Amino acid sequence: MGYTPMIQQYLHIKSQYQDAILFFRLGDFYEMFFEDALTASAILEIALTARDGGIEKVPMCGIPYHAYEGYVAKLLAHGYKVAICEQVEDPAVAKGIVRREVIRVITPGTVMDEKVLLDKANNYLGALVSEHGSWGLAYIDISTGEFCVTQCGHREVSVLDELIRLKPAELIVPDTLKDDGCVPEILKQVKCYINWRPMLQKSLGQVLEVLETELRVGEDLAAQLYKWPLACQAAYYVLDFLQETQKQKLGHLTELKVYKPKNYMLIDAATRRNLELTENMQTKSVRASLLGVLDETVTAMGARKLKHWLETPLLDKNLIQQRLDAVEELVENALLRESLRKAIKGIYDLERLVGRVAYGSANARDLLALKQSIARLPQIAGLIDWVHSAYLRLLINDLDLLEDLFTLLDNGIADDPPAGVREGNIIKDGFNQEVDRLREAARHGKQWIAELEAKERERTGIRSLKVGFNKVFGYYLEVTKPNLHMVPQDYHRKQTLANAERFITAELKEMENLILGAEEKLNKLEYEIFNELRAQVEKNAGRLQTSANIVAELDVLLSLALVAIANNYCKPELVDSSKLELIEARHPVVEKLSAGRFVANDCHLEPPASILNIITGPNMAGKSTYIRMAALITVMAQIGSFVPARKAVVGIADRIFARVGASDDLSTGRSTFMVEMNEVANILNHATERSLVILDEVGRGTSTFDGISIAWAVSEYLLTRVKARTLFATHYHELTLLQEEFPAARNFSMAVKEEGNKITFLRKVIPGAADRSYGIHVAELAGVPKEVLDRANNLLAALEERKQDVRQTVREVAAAAAQKAGAAGSSHLPGLPEMQHFLGRLCKLDLDGTSPIEAWHLLSSFAREAGELLGKLSGGNHDQDPDS
């Protein structure tokens, strides 16, 4: 004796999907058996039962088939795939066990259910291929049809940064890369479901042939793909995986787009996190991020588009200017702005509606939503005569109004269809003659039955007689037992109840056959017609996607205009130089959180005259906010947004780097300081003259002398080698001496107001260096015990006294150097102009404002410089010992 036929069928299908939880359809439930049941019942928190399997009791659990989405989401979140196994033949006509097949495998990257997907975020399935120092990447969102590929060298663009930007839900990787020294380390940081696949056994020609067959690939794209073999392989991995798991051709995957990351502002993973572009660092939510401030979109498509713009700021000045001009027109033209927003506001998520149509999961309500959305497109197009900016005119002019699809859906889909597609009432009257005939027959029969109850009560005299219906017995006449003696002879008993009898008549049976026959045929016909309508929509997927993209861009431009008006932003001026000039600028996020109490500040960087601004001052005074403000304003300007300032002149940045704070990275065993140094190394190795760098407290993770030395050397390198615009917030007051060594370095500090023992941080950036950090005051604000504060003040006073000794030493060394220089020769000697400059600097030296460590640096610098000058004055011996 073996397992029952059904369990044998289950085991056979399960053997083909060992790596997935199998949802096995039984009636109105998806059932799970054996190990799947044990696993799923624990994760889904549902009852674990057992079923007779023939030779043993089999563990079993189940969920309602119509509410499976939430359960699938839980299993995906725990790292499991789900294979959906359906009945693929009618149980009424099946001979023996009903035939079942897996119709789809759901993985993290292939989710289509709207209850699982986030409206304002994409859900990407990616594929990564790496070889000989280069990498190819493909990614797709099957819910929208977006499909993109790229290829780069590892030194050209970091694949990790690109993956962090995309945040794929699932990544396909050839299993040959498991032993690659670099890829496994990258994947550890991506934090998504990794799907290892066998190495591709196809030539580039075969791969290209598949891509050209499945997608719209023109000559230019084909030529580009031929140069990108790794990108082609990645795209093939994606398509092959979709065909294997989705079991059907997806008609909305119409176009493959190629892109080059270097054509956009490159933003590494650390900078994205530190600037909080799309999510808050602490809460991981959109609120309190730049995206949270800028998002006033009214469509899901627009919200996703805005997020994409923020993640990929433009480098093309002309394209940025076009966006800015469009936003400006919407800011200045209230009537255009409100009319356009009103037209867009009622448009549903066209991209995902098209995705569901292509997937075959769209119902009549989805098609109705499509029709209602298309109906608003003429309102948008009608505004073309009001528009002047080139970009707005281009978008509106290119909008496909889809009149033919609107007519088809308006004529075909009922105005209030049900959620199901097999229950009828989804096709509008007048669209199909046979539907109308069957519908009239069913209506006539139901009307006859509705009148039957009154007629039979009159004929029989039984006032309590009722006409009823159920799916088992059909239509019937119900008579209570006290009235059974009044039942006519043409009534035939059908069912006996406790208190009544149910009867049928020949006439009622005939009408029942007419009604049920008509309804069965009608429902089947309506379903067939609905599928035809859905197929017609699918054929126009490309047109719908084009219009959806235009609506999304218009929505984003409107959002930027509304935010600019609400927050008093200005239109930035774009320049070809590396200049960054901000007048009365504000941090866009902190300003919103501070309820209008934000203190505006200026910022000026203009290489080569001004490259590095060093900002000193107390904790909590606003240094980090200030430097982040400059970076965020640059990002905003380069997506085409107005910015929070009275005036802004922005030289386009090729990259932005933000090294702000750090924490241990336990997953890779890196300390706080190692994380910090990795970020610094990335900046120094990749920043250019067109980059913008913001640094916050570099070197604080190690000893004081090590930290100061590193911070100084990093600053020198940025000033002399990289020459990137840099804002450096620091507590190392020693770095302010850079201004004396390098004219392109400037000192600024956070203003502080002192009134007796009361200290107020004014949040204002002023020229000049800070002389102290007010750390003990901050400790007091934090609630440190008074005993500790008193001891700290005593120690600080002692250290300040010792600082005077160091200052005296510096004075003596300076005097000795001046005396040696004076005795070395006359004005005709070589090096005399340099000596005069050197002595002038000594005379201007403010020793009272010099800290001990600053004095140490000065002493070392002056000794070295004095030795070199004495060498010149003594006859050109540059190697003379400075101590001589």
Side-chain angles (χ1 to χ4, degrees):
M1 180 180 177
Y3 285 117
T4 62
M6 192 204 70
I7 295 297
Q8 289 181 36
Q9 183 189 50
Y10 169 86
L11 290 171
H12 173 70
I13 296 173
K14 174 64 182 176
S15 68
Q16 302 168 53
Y17 298 93
Q18 293 288 347
D19 62 342
I21 301 290
L22 184 64
F23 278 20
F24 190 79
R25 181 71 178 272
L26 279 178
D28 290 338
F29 285 83
Y30 285 126
E31 302 288 0
M32 289 148 275
F33 301 102
F34 298 100
E35 289 298 323
D36 281 4
L38 297 173
T39 300
S41 63
I43 294 173
L44 302 179
E45 298 178 338
I46 55 178
L48 179 68
T49 61
R51 182 188 182 100
D52 183 9
I55 58 175
E56 62 177 339
K57 287 283 188 179
V58 173
M60 179 181 86
C61 67
I63 60 169
Y65 85 96
H66 56 80
Y68 75 98
E69 296 98 336
Y71 297 104
V72 169
K74 279 189 177 181
L75 291 172
L76 292 177
H78 281 77
Y80 292 94
K81 303 176 184 177
V82 178
I84 306 296
C85 181
E86 289 285 0
Q87 298 171 173
V88 293
E89 66 175 334
D90 188 347
V93 298
K95 295 181 179 178
I97 193 79
V98 176
R99 189 161 57 90
R100 294 178 174 85
E101 292 178 1
V102 170
I103 62 164
R104 179 187 176 199
V105 178
I106 306 175
T107 67
T110 59
V111 175
M112 284 289 293
D113 303 307
E114 62 178 316
K115 294 180 181 177
V116 179
L117 293 171
L118 299 175
D119 288 340
K120 295 188 175 185
N122 288 100
N123 189 72
Y124 289 127
L125 166 70
L128 174 65
V129 179
S130 180
E131 187 177 284
H132 305 309
S134 295
W135 54 268
L137 179 66
Y139 65 87
I140 191 169
D141 183 341
I142 66 167
S143 72
T144 66
E146 179 187 3
F147 194 4
C148 302
V149 294
T150 191
Q151 181 170 319
C152 296
H154 282 292
R155 293 183 178 179
E156 184 180 10
V157 176
S158 164
V159 66
L160 175 61
D161 291 340
E162 192 64 4
L163 289 172
I164 294 295
R165 175 182 77 83
L166 294 169
K167 290 186 177 179
E170 180 176 6
L171 188 64
I172 300 167
V173 186
D175 55 16
T176 52
L177 294 180
K178 284 184 177 180
D179 299 325
D180 183 282
C182 179
V183 172
E185 289 302 314
I186 290 173
L187 298 182
K188 284 182 183 178
Q189 300 180 62
V190 176
K191 295 181 175 63
C192 73
Y193 184 89
I194 305 300
N195 195 332
W196 297 100
R197 305 282 286 177
M199 185 177 68
L200 195 61
Q201 301 292 333
K202 290 185 180 293
S203 67
L204 177 59
Q206 290 172 316
V207 168
L208 281 170
E209 184 179 351
V210 171
L211 296 181
E212 291 174 358
T213 301
E214 297 293 327
L215 302 162
R216 193 167 63 215
V217 178
E219 291 183 7
D220 292 343
L221 178 57
Q224 177 68 66
L225 291 174
Y226 188 78
K227 298 176 185 177
W228 281 3
L230 300 182
C232 290
Q233 289 181 41
Y236 181 87
Y237 272 113
V238 169
L239 282 179
D240 184 59
F241 182 72
L242 289 179
Q243 290 172 355
E244 177 184 316
T245 58
Q246 307 309 294
K247 311 290 184 180
Q248 63 177 335
K249 181 178 174 62
L250 300 176
H252 67 311
L253 305 185
T254 59
E255 184 177 6
L256 183 65
K257 297 178 181 178
V258 299
Y259 74 102
K260 297 179 180 179
K262 65 181 181 180
N263 288 345
Y264 302 94
M265 178 195 287
L266 295 177
I267 307 176
D268 61 53
T271 300
R272 288 185 190 281
R273 180 185 67 250
N274 292 332
L275 292 182
E276 300 178 306
L277 295 179
T278 59
E279 67 177 24
N280 180 268
M281 199 185 305
Q282 278 75 40
T283 65
K284 304 302 179 184
S285 67
V286 172
R287 188 181 180 279
S289 71
L290 182 58
L291 177 59
V293 171
L294 297 181
D295 190 3
E296 291 293 336
T297 56
V298 292
T299 70
M301 302 174 294
R304 293 194 296 270
K305 180 69 69 176
L306 174 59
K307 184 172 184 288
H308 174 70
W309 281 17
L310 260 181
E311 291 170 336
T312 54
L314 299 174
L315 298 182
D316 189 313
K317 181 182 173 185
N318 291 330
L319 292 179
I320 301 170
Q321 194 65 55
Q322 287 178 18
R323 288 184 183 177
L324 286 171
D325 292 344
V327 173
E328 181 179 40
E329 180 170 9
L330 292 169
V331 166
E332 295 178 348
N333 191 332
L335 185 57
L336 171 63
R337 184 176 66 247
E338 293 307 315
S339 298
L340 188 55
R341 187 171 173 84
K342 184 178 179 181
I344 289 175
K345 196 169 185 178
I347 296 178
Y348 292 90
D349 194 340
L350 288 173
E351 291 176 333
R352 285 187 170 161
L353 284 173
V354 173
R356 291 202 290 276
V357 166
Y359 203 79
S361 60
N363 58 24
R365 291 179 181 177
D366 290 326
L367 296 194
L368 183 65
L370 269 178
K371 184 195 83 169
Q372 293 169 344
S373 299
I374 294 171
R376 291 186 167 270
L377 300 183
Q379 298 176 43
I380 299 173
L383 300 173
I384 187 69
D385 292 335
W386 301 9
V387 173
H388 301 289
S389 64
Y391 191 50
L392 278 178
R393 288 191 69 84
L394 179 66
L395 288 174
I396 295 176
N397 195 56
D398 287 351
L399 185 65
D400 188 336
L401 301 186
L402 303 161
E403 294 101 332
D404 52 335
L405 275 183
F406 174 82
T407 300
L408 178 69
L409 296 174
D410 187 46
N411 291 338
I413 299 297
D415 293 332
D416 186 22
V421 294
R422 296 179 181 271
E423 293 83 27
N425 296 317
I426 58 177
I427 303 301
K428 188 179 283 187
D429 288 345
F431 185 72
N432 181 277
Q433 290 184 353
E434 183 62 14
V435 167
D436 292 346
R437 188 189 69 79
L438 291 170
R439 190 170 284 161
E440 181 57 33
R443 286 172 181 167
H444 173 73
K446 287 183 177 179
Q447 180 63 31
W448 183 89
I449 287 175
E451 297 169 353
L452 178 64
E453 187 173 291
K455 175 183 164 185
E456 287 300 304
R457 283 182 178 182
E458 183 67 26
R459 181 168 78 95
T460 63
I462 305 172
R463 297 302 173 191
S464 61
L465 183 145
K466 295 179 181 177
V467 176
F469 173 83
N470 64 41
K471 291 183 178 180
V472 178
F473 293 102
Y475 288 97
Y476 55 81
L477 297 157
E478 185 174 294
V479 179
T480 56
K481 287 192 173 179
N483 295 305
L484 289 178
H485 65 282
M486 301 173 67
V487 169
Q489 291 185 353
D490 59 342
Y491 277 31
H492 303 286
R493 183 176 285 105
K494 195 169 189 179
Q495 185 184 12
T496 300
L497 304 177
N499 299 312
E501 297 278 352
R502 289 175 175 172
F503 299 90
I504 189 78
T505 66
E507 191 177 21
L508 179 57
K509 186 64 178 177
E510 182 181 349
M511 192 57 67
E512 176 187 275
N513 292 336
L514 173 66
I515 294 170
L516 297 183
E519 285 188 338
E520 183 179 352
K521 291 178 182 177
L522 177 62
N523 291 348
K524 183 178 179 181
L525 179 59
E526 285 198 65
Y527 179 64
E528 291 172 357
I529 295 171
F530 170 76
N531 282 333
E532 292 172 4
L533 289 171
R534 193 163 59 185
Q536 283 294 108
V537 173
E538 184 181 358
K539 289 179 182 178
N540 291 276
R543 294 172 61 199
L544 281 160
Q545 288 168 333
T546 299
S547 290
N549 184 67
I550 290 173
V551 169
E553 293 211 12
L554 290 171
D555 194 10
V556 173
L557 294 170
L558 276 168
S559 180
L560 296 179
L562 288 166
V563 171
I565 294 168
N567 300 307
N568 193 29
Y569 290 175
C570 76
K571 181 182 181 182
E573 176 189 346
L574 303 176
V575 292
D576 293 321
S577 68
S578 294
K579 182 177 182 179
L580 179 63
E581 181 183 9
L582 306 176
I583 306 298
E584 294 181 18
R586 297 106 59 196
H587 189 296
V589 181
V590 177
E591 178 184 41
K592 295 290 285 186
L593 298 177
S594 62
R597 297 188 301 273
F598 192 88
V599 177
N601 277 295
D602 300 344
C603 178
H604 187 89
L605 289 165
E606 190 171 8
S610 173
I611 295 176
L612 171 67
N613 286 359
I614 300 167
I615 302 97
T616 50
N619 276 317
M620 297 175 60
K623 298 191 302 296
S624 295
T625 298
Y626 174 74
I627 63 175
R628 282 184 173 101
M629 173 194 76
L632 290 177
I633 285 177
T634 302
V635 170
M636 291 172 68
Q638 290 185 222
I639 71 168
S641 171
F642 280 29
V643 300
R646 182 167 63 82
K647 178 184 176 182
V649 180
V650 179
I652 295 171
D654 61 352
R655 300 189 68 147
I656 286 183
F657 296 92
R659 206 235 70 75
V660 180
S663 59
D664 293 338
D665 187 345
L666 300 178
S667 64
T668 59
R670 298 183 299 166
S671 68
T672 300
F673 186 61
M674 177 58 79
V675 172
E676 178 183 330
M677 289 300 100
N678 282 340
E679 292 180 7
V680 169
N682 181 55
I683 294 170
L684 299 181
N685 289 326
H686 295 101
T688 73
E689 290 186 19
R690 299 307 298 263
S691 301
L692 175 64
V693 177
I694 65 170
L695 301 172
D696 192 6
E697 300 300 352
V698 168
R700 300 289 287 185
T702 184
S703 69
T704 302
F705 288 164
D706 276 359
I708 292 172
S709 301
I710 291 171
W712 185 287
V714 166
S715 300
E716 276 190 357
Y717 193 88
L718 287 168
L719 273 163
T720 61
R721 297 284 297 275
V722 179
K723 299 178 182 177
R725 293 165 288 176
T726 303
L727 296 171
F728 193 161
T730 182
H731 280 290
Y732 289 144
H733 297 155
E734 295 78 8
L735 296 185
T736 59
L737 297 175
L738 283 163
Q739 179 173 304
E740 298 180 10
E741 297 286 335
F742 303 97
R746 307 287 174 83
N747 288 328
F748 295 87
S749 60
M750 307 305 299
V752 177
K753 180 180 179 181
E754 295 188 57
E755 294 177 335
N757 294 327
K758 183 180 179 183
I759 298 172
T760 304
F761 299 150
L762 301 179
R763 316 291 182 192
K764 196 70 179 175
V765 177
I766 57 175
D771 60 352
R772 48 193 284 211
S773 292
Y774 299 92
I776 296 175
H777 174 69
V778 174
E780 182 180 4
L781 294 176
V784 172
K786 186 176 184 303
E787 182 181 350
V788 175
L789 296 173
D790 290 343
R791 177 59 175 157
N793 277 312
N794 291 335
L795 291 171
L796 180 62
L799 291 172
E800 290 289 346
E801 289 178 6
R802 291 182 60 186
K803 185 163 62 174
Q804 300 303 320
D805 297 335
V806 177
R807 288 172 179 165
Q808 182 59 35
T809 302
V810 172
R811 286 191 181 95
E812 292 172 358
V813 171
Q819 185 177 4
K820 283 186 179 182
S826 63
S827 60
H828 71 276
L829 291 174
L832 188 56
E834 291 92 333
M835 175 60 73
Q836 291 172 335
H837 175 68
F838 176 73
L839 292 173
R841 287 171 53 212
L842 281 176
C843 292
K844 295 179 181 178
L845 186 63
D846 177 18
L847 292 178
D848 290 332
T850 304
S851 68
I853 193 63
E854 289 171 348
W856 179 82
H857 277 293
L858 281 172
L859 181 61
S860 175
S861 174
F862 282 143
R864 182 179 67 253
E865 192 172 346
E868 293 173 354
L869 289 171
L870 287 173
K872 288 184 179 181
L873 293 169
S874 62
N877 182 10
H878 295 271
D879 296 326
Q880 183 173 339
D881 185 350
D883 293 329
S884 63

